[in-house]
Amino acid sequence: AGNNAAHEDFAGIAMTGYAPAGQSWTPDSSGHGTPVAGTIAAANNNVGVVGVSPGKVSLHIVKVFDGASCAWSYSSTLVDAANRCASAGAKVINMSLGGSTSSRTERNAFASLDSQGVLSIAAAGNDGNNRSSYPASYDSVMSVAAVDATNAHASFSQYNSQVEIAAPGVGVLSTYPFVSAPMNAAGGSYIVAAMTGSVVLLALAMKTLP
């Protein structure tokens, strides 16, 4: 998906990236990479939101999916992205992506990264059931589910024995403009926005600064 590196909330953050030939890791092609990066690192600058670790990390963005839909990619592409993150010095690899099929190539790659001291984190999945999603469900990857503002399980979030932690995942504001369109029906006016649980994807590395 990529990231909008020019966003004001990333000013002063050390940021590098990689995209396959013919693509660019910036700007964001789907509107997903930028809010994920912002949730991690948005500056505490009295503008917009504040990230979990403002000014404390550098970012290395690796583009795994291209275009507005970010529909799918190869296991080898994800493994290459993860290895590029590690080669760039990542201590944590964040993956807001997933699929229903396990891959021996992925399993071995993330086990190898784990043995090197790299923490890989992935979304548990957005299908609202107890099926496994990968890479989150590999033993070497931390699986993160979603809760709402009351700490209740988010209805779209997958739940299974591989989930290690849960974090806010409903109505979270971040570094991407809220775009809406009015809709009038039965005498009422409503905001039209993306459905909760819609899936778009990103691979993102995070490394600690000295």
Side-chain angles (χ1 to χ4, degrees):
N3 182 46
N4 180 8
H7 195 288
E8 61 189 343
D9 262 342
F10 299 135
I13 293 176
M15 188 183 302
T16 54
Y18 168 83
Q23 301 179 31
S24 174
W25 64 270
T26 186
D28 187 346
S29 62
S30 71
H32 187 65
T34 303
V36 171
T39 297
I40 293 170
N44 186 4
N45 57 2
N46 295 317
V47 176
V49 299
V50 179
V52 173
S53 185
K56 300 295 184 181
V57 296
S58 59
L59 301 177
H60 184 68
I61 312 297
V62 180
K63 193 170 191 178
V64 176
F65 305 90
D66 192 30
S69 63
C70 298
W72 64 278
S73 188
Y74 293 105
S75 292
S76 57
T77 302
L78 177 58
V79 168
D80 179 68
N83 286 331
R84 287 179 183 278
C85 290
S87 295
K91 303 302 182 185
V92 179
I93 298 175
N94 179 77
M95 297 168 285
S96 182
L97 53 82
S100 60
T101 304
S102 174
S103 158
R104 179 178 298 178
T105 299
E106 290 179 359
R107 186 185 302 274
N108 291 342
F110 287 110
S112 176
L113 290 170
D114 182 52
S115 70
Q116 298 170 45
V118 177
L119 174 61
S120 299
I121 302 174
N126 287 347
D127 289 335
N129 55 44
N130 64 356
R131 291 196 297 268
S132 295
S133 178
Y134 301 93
S137 291
Y138 299 127
D139 290 341
S140 56
V141 177
M142 178 179 284
S143 177
V144 184
V147 293
D148 62 19
T150 67
N151 284 330
H153 167 248
S155 61
F156 62 83
S157 186
Q158 278 166 247
Y159 50 92
N160 53 57
S161 61
Q162 287 288 348
V163 172
E164 277 100 355
I165 61 172
V170 179
V172 178
L173 299 177
S174 191
T175 45
Y176 199 78
F178 179 75
V179 179
S180 65
M183 180 184 74
N184 297 313
S189 180
Y190 304 90
I191 293 176
V192 178
M195 292 186 298
T196 298
S198 297
V199 181
V200 282
L201 311 162
L202 168 76
L204 172 70
M206 179 172 66
K207 54 185 180 179
T208 304
L209 289 175

